[in-house]
Amino acid sequence: MEDRVTAQSTETELGALWRQVLRVPEVAPGDNFFELGGDSFRAAQLATLIGERLGVPATPALAFDRPELAGQARWIDGARRPAAPPPAAAAGGEEGGGAALSTQQEEFLEWMFSGDPVRDIGSCATAVRIRDALDVPLLTRALETVIARHDPLRTVVTASGQVLIADELPPEVDEAEARGDTPEERERDAERIVWHERMRLDSALRGPLVRALVVRLDEDDHVLALAVHHFAFDGFSLGVLLRELGIAYSALRTGHPVRLRPLPMTYAAYCEFARARWPANRPYWDRVLDGAPRDLTPFPGRRDTTLFSRRRHAFEIDADLARRLRETAQSRGATTFMAVAACWTWLLRQWTGLTDLVVMSPVPGRTAPEHEALIGCLVQSLVLRLDASGEPAYTELVERVREVSVGAVAHQFHSYLETRMRVPFPSRIHYESFGAPHFPGLLSEAFPFPREQERLEWAANPGELDLSAPELIVEEQRDGSMLAAVVYNHYGYDPATAAELAEAFQRYARLAVEDPDEPLPGLDTSPRSGTAESPGMVERSAEAEDSGTAPGEETS
């Protein structure tokens, strides 16, 4: 009887954590963490809360190994220890008045100042269509309120590379009028204006970090384009910024004081929290990266170059294929990201002939609920060393990716500068499952917006070539489909190479889900128009090698 009472008590306590992490009203003992919307990001948060609230050290692997609530509760009962959880890190910045830096900011800073002239990263940006009245002076005041609340939005990088927090750093807010006689013409002109706004280059050395442009289409129809320098900001922060901006604007519009909840911790405290975990995680990364390849060589289709600028070949993964990828992942206790990563891993193996592959994927770095209220560059870079040897079935490769990913997520706090020096040119997967942007409190929706800043290009480190491999970006859509893109260095690859990679990824994904338990097939090597192919990799035609386009850039 006592054991049953204890189990029920643990299920109740754990259920409260599930509701907090998954944002669901009710949970039951037989519920599955991933079927309720969990992913590796939420699994990391759950593990942190179990350690803090229930006193049991846990890792994200708990959610994958025991996805049901009752199974997790039984594991916790068996692992309970009387010792209290470690205290949270204290707040505070760095000595000498400097700003606290995240691991990504440290890597950015080193990269920015390792070349001459100083290299720029670009910005994180979005655009929202507001079909409502919009007061630009009030919007400016609301932006100023949010900037005053978050230290990273007042970050100043000096010409010598010192990083400071300014007392004030006002945003840049501009207005424009869309021209045209019809709503359709004004909408097209708004797209043109927003496109040019996205192409503007900014600089962490000059500031300001936050820019806004309001394009007026009609009295109650506007487009708001927002951009924040990536040195102090990440993609997750866009949602926080829009939410707080909406709250502040609504209060100012109705004549009420702005009342935002106090931040549960400072950005400096978060950086200290993350840095304190580096020593314990360093042996893991030393072991994983021992002898790891620095780049994917050979990579058919890559040219020697010292310049880098990003271009994008977009494609779509239809809803049926996306559903089958999700179902295959769930059947193996994995996430959709892992299913996509398994397809990309096999494609890289077939394309390069390599079986020891290093793939980098960003995660939000917000392992506790209180981290979700912060604005800043908290993103962590997971370095996944994947084994594609043998003749695995697709489900076996998914399991390999799952094992590596769970270990990396559990050790996600590490010095990215250290790991980047060891593997400077991994392939990359950027997977997004967040909703479309909107402006809370106003009738709004996402507006078409380019991710590339085409005038931004970078030089490789002195004496080095750019050996980057193409990147896969996948964004989940509300209709179940996925928008995807192969992003590549325009100077190193032709558009035809990216197009072939995209086509091969879709072809392979379909083959994989049709018979996931059979040995993986090779790529279709039958010749196609405009190319000549050899088994296992694709050769480019002379005509494709000579083609060229203008430089471009894509920011996360």
Side-chain angles (χ1 to χ4, degrees), residues 158-179:
T158 69
S160 63
Q162 186 180 12
V163 183
L164 304 171
I165 301 298
D167 292 333
E168 294 182 2
L169 193 61
E172 177 184 315
V173 181
D174 293 322
E175 297 181 70
E177 189 89 13
R179 299 184 182 277

Side-chain angles (χ1 to χ4, degrees), residues 507 522-528 533-537:
R507 188 167 65 250
L523 290 175
D524 178 11
T525 58
S526 59
R528 295 193 299 279
E533 301 185 358
S534 59
M537 58 184 65

Side-chain angles (χ1 to χ4, degrees), residues 16 46 94 137 152 175 213 238 255 259 279 306 331 341 357 378 432 466 478 486 524 555:
L46 180 65
E94 303 207 349
E175 297 181 70
L213 173 67
L238 274 172
R259 290 193 175 94
T306 60
S331 70
L357 300 165
L378 283 66
E432 299 181 2
D466 178 80
R478 291 185 176 180
V486 172
D524 178 11
T555 57

Side-chain angles (χ1 to χ4, degrees), residues 377-393:
C377 193
L378 283 66
V379 61
Q380 299 286 319
S381 296
L382 298 187
V383 184
L384 311 176
R385 188 175 183 182
L386 301 170
D387 174 18
S389 63
E391 299 296 330

